[in-house]
Amino acid sequence: YISKIFRSVDPFSLTKPYRVGDVIWGSHTQWLDSVTYTLDAIIAYQGKVYRKNNDFDAYVAGILPTTNQYFEYLYENETIYSHVGTLTTINDYDHNKTYEGGSDVVRYYFDYFTCIVNSYRNHPTIQNFWIPNDYSQGPGNPPQNIYSGWIKGDTRNPQLKTCLIDIALYHLHSRINPRNIPELRKERYDGNSPNQKGGAIGWLKNVAHGLVNADLPEIIDFQLPISWGSYEKQNNNF
């Protein structure tokens, strides 16, 4: 699940399908009045992103992207969007609930599963009872399309992102000049102490030992049911 916690943030692509949980970054080069843009070219203008949507013969360099005849507005530039889909009524998997095959859908960790056979205490990863459902959307749905399931903002865990940034900055400084790392970066990395009880490292250690809640979805350990017991004691005489 590490790859799902630390999802990469890639530039948005109109040709790529996306699934719930994907995060994209809208960052594109600015429009230039000296360039004759071709079909599907994506450019930024006054903080917004536009796509060249046709190749009419009358188009020439210098026509503004706000001209609807030649350009389509997609989303805001320099902005992060997260794909959340329209799954607002789907609940987390409950190990003590009976699910109906062919209709019930559950969310387990970062994934969704559809029940195919009536199930009680059968973990969503058991293929005889469940099938994964990516809830992916086809290509061509820009983030500000009201039906595409995107929201503005980053849905990744903010505390984990902060830790990752602090660790990365510390190591960058150590590579540039290991004898002159700023005190702030040392504090943010491990509390600047030999036992590493502070900063990002200290927080991660506390999470590993169960002392701090990382606010991540709970992974349910699946265990087969075990029956136990015995017959009544028998008195045997010989």
Side-chain angles (χ1 to χ4, degrees), residues 155-202:
T155 56
R156 295 175 300 170
N157 185 286
Q159 183 65 54
L160 286 176
K161 285 195 303 178
T162 300
C163 286
L164 184 63
I165 292 170
D166 287 333
I167 293 171
L169 289 175
Y170 173 84
H171 284 291
L172 283 173
H173 280 287
S174 67
R175 288 178 63 87
I176 296 171
N177 190 346
R179 297 183 180 180
N180 191 27
I181 301 175
E183 291 297 318
L184 174 62
R185 299 274 53 98
K186 294 178 182 179
E187 291 285 343
R188 299 285 297 180
Y189 177 67
D190 64 358
N192 196 17
S193 60
N195 54 19
Q196 294 187 314
K197 288 188 176 181
I201 299 300

Side-chain angles (χ1 to χ4, degrees), residues 31-190:
W31 171 81
L32 296 173
D33 60 3
S34 60
V35 177
T36 301
Y37 292 99
T38 58
L39 181 65
D40 291 330
I42 297 180
I43 47 89
Y45 178 71
Q46 295 184 344
K48 296 181 178 180
V49 177
Y50 296 86
R51 178 180 72 92
K52 181 69 165 40
N53 60 13
N54 63 62
D55 272 337
F56 288 166
D57 294 337
Y59 172 77
V60 294
I63 294 180
L64 292 175
T66 52
T67 307
N68 294 334
Q69 183 181 359
Y70 300 106
F71 291 90
E72 172 192 10
Y73 168 63
L74 298 180
Y75 50 91
E76 295 181 12
N77 199 34
E78 304 296 329
T79 304
I80 289 180
Y81 289 89
S82 300
H83 185 38
V84 296
T86 56
L87 312 178
T88 56
T89 60
I90 295 180
N91 297 319
D92 291 329
Y93 169 73
D94 185 344
H95 200 52
N96 295 311
K97 180 179 177 180
T98 299
Y99 291 98
E100 184 176 345
S103 60
D104 285 339
V105 179
V106 299
R107 179 175 53 243
Y108 174 65
Y109 212 55
F110 290 100
D111 297 313
Y112 295 83
F113 297 86
T114 299
C115 185
I116 56 176
V117 177
N118 290 354
S119 172
Y120 175 69
R121 290 200 168 187
N122 294 295
H123 198 263
T125 57
I126 299 180
Q127 297 180 357
N128 290 340
F129 294 89
W130 301 87
I131 57 173
N133 195 328
D134 285 341
Y135 283 97
S136 60
Q137 63 169 22
N141 292 306
Q144 287 194 351
N145 182 334
I146 191 173
Y147 303 106
S148 62
W150 294 96
I151 62 169
K152 186 188 298 184
D154 192 344
T155 56
R156 295 175 300 170
N157 185 286
Q159 183 65 54
L160 286 176
K161 285 195 303 178
T162 300
C163 286
L164 184 63
I165 292 170
D166 287 333
I167 293 171
L169 289 175
Y170 173 84
H171 284 291
L172 283 173
H173 280 287
S174 67
R175 288 178 63 87
I176 296 171
N177 190 346
R179 297 183 180 180
N180 191 27
I181 301 175
E183 291 297 318
L184 174 62
R185 299 274 53 98
K186 294 178 182 179
E187 291 285 343
R188 299 285 297 180
Y189 177 67
D190 64 358

